[in-house]
Amino acid sequence: STARYLAGIVGRMTKPAGEPDPDLLLRPKELADALGGDETTVRRWCRTIGLPCERLRSGHRRFRLGAVRAWYRDGGPKETGNE
């Protein structure tokens, strides 16, 4: 399931020193690579299951590591119906 998949990956995203950097901003491709998936899937998860992302003025998405981890810790995927 998506929830189990994210649990294993999000928990492993840490700085080289071993401490998570909650302010780290990831591009969709970087998050997708960390999750072992595709950036199109990451974008779809923003729309469909509420994966938190920030929008730059240009409209591009960025994912704050701390927000992604908190989202998962607080229950993770929730259907939003925005397919």
Side-chain angles (χ1 to χ4, degrees), residues 24-51:
L24 179 65
L25 284 176
L26 301 169
R27 292 182 167 110
K29 175 77 169 130
E30 293 168 328
L31 183 58
D33 288 347
L35 296 174
D38 186 81
E39 62 185 292
T40 302
T41 302
V42 169
R43 287 189 193 100
R44 184 176 58 247
W45 285 350
C46 290
R47 292 189 320 269
T48 61
I49 61 173
L51 181 66

